[in-house]
Every structure is written in structure tokens, then in C-alpha cells.
């Protein structure tokens, strides 16, 4: 079981940027794919982005394409989500996740989830 801790959330104005980090417990990733999801009150959990172990395979949800960038540093057991040109509709709790395959992770079939970090974008 991978322990995941998100950080970097906060309150920003429309058009601003945030960088989220997801730190995994040392020695537990085993090069598995990592991803980001978000959920706003009253809404379904939404896929944001995921990245394979090598960083070569990357997928984004339609609502964030061109604005968000996912990356990872396996030596640091950490994944990142750079969020630019933020909009009020991006307001949600953002969760980091780890899965057994990138295909399963993309649809939310994750083995481990973090506690989440709140992102609020003011209009």
C-alpha cells in the first residue's frame, strides 16, 4: 500500500497558477503510473491527468488540456500537477492516485489515494 500526501493547494484568482505535489512513501511506488483527479461538492469525481512510470505516456482530461501539465520525479517519489490559467470551474479537492496500469488509473481504478488538497479559484 502506497501512502500519498498532496500539497500545494490554495486560493487563487481567475487566470492564476498553482503547482500541486504528491509525495509517495519511500520505496513503495515500484514505477507504477500516477495520476490526479478532482471532485467538487455535488459533482462526480473527474479525471484530470495521469502519467506512466517513464513519463512517456501522458493523458489529460478534456477540461484541462492545454492548461495543466503533469510530471513526475521517480527519484523523489513525487508527482506534480502544474495548473495554469485557472478558472472558477477548476475549484475542487484534488486527489493524487497510484494504479497498477495507466489504462485502469485513467478510469479511476486506483490502488491508493491521497487525502486531497483544496484548490479554490475566485471569479
Amino acid at each position: 500500500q502506497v501512502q500519498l500526501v498532496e500539497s500545494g493547494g490554495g486560493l487563487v484568482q481567475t487566470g492564476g497558477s498553482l503547482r500541486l505535489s504528491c509525495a509517495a512513501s519511500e520505496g513503495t511506488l515500484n514505477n507504477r503510473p500516477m495520476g490526479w483527479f478532482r471532485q467538487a461538492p455535488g459533482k462526480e469525481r473527474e479525471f484530470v491527468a495521469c502519467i506512466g512510470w517513464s513519463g512517456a505516456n501522458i493523458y489529460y482530461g478534456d477540461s484541462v488540456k492545454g492548461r495543466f501539465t503533469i510530471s513526475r520525479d521517480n527519484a523523489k517519489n513525487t508527482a506534480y500537477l502544474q495548473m495554469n490559467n485557472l478558472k472558477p470551474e477548476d475549484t475542487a479537492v484534488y486527489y493524487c492516485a497510484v494504479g497498477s496500469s495507466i489504462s485502469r488509473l485513467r478510469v479511476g481504478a486506483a490502488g491508493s489515494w491521497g487525502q486531497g488538497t483544496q484548490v479554490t479559484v475566485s471569479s
Side-chain angles (χ1 to χ4, degrees), residues 2 9 14-15 27 40 52 56 60 62 78 92 111 120 123:
V2 180
T14 297
Y60 295 101
D62 290 340
T78 302
T120 302
S123 60

Side-chain angles (χ1 to χ4, degrees), residues 4-114:
L4 301 171
V5 180
E6 303 96 335
S7 62
L11 174 64
V12 298
Q13 295 179 326
T14 297
S17 298
L18 283 173
R19 190 194 193 201
L20 306 183
S21 297
C22 172
S25 50
E26 187 176 1
T28 61
L29 276 180
N30 294 322
N31 293 321
R32 285 181 284 178
M34 304 180 72
W36 291 92
F37 295 78
R38 66 187 184 185
Q39 188 166 23
K43 296 184 179 180
E44 298 274 330
R45 183 181 63 196
E46 179 186 11
F47 168 74
V48 175
C50 63
I51 183 170
W53 67 270
S54 71
N57 298 112
I58 296 175
Y59 299 90
Y60 295 101
D62 290 340
S63 63
V64 306
K65 288 179 179 178
R67 299 188 298 120
F68 291 10
T69 302
I70 188 171
S71 61
R72 67 188 294 167
D73 186 339
N74 291 333
K76 296 181 178 179
N77 297 301
T78 302
Y80 306 94
L81 185 69
Q82 179 66 47
M83 305 184 294
N84 298 324
N85 192 25
L86 284 163
K87 306 174 181 179
E89 51 262 45
D90 295 318
T91 296
V93 177
Y94 284 70
Y95 297 93
C96 179
V98 172
S100 60
S101 74
I102 197 165
S103 296
R104 288 178 54 80
L105 182 60
R106 189 178 178 183
V107 298
S112 300
W113 294 88

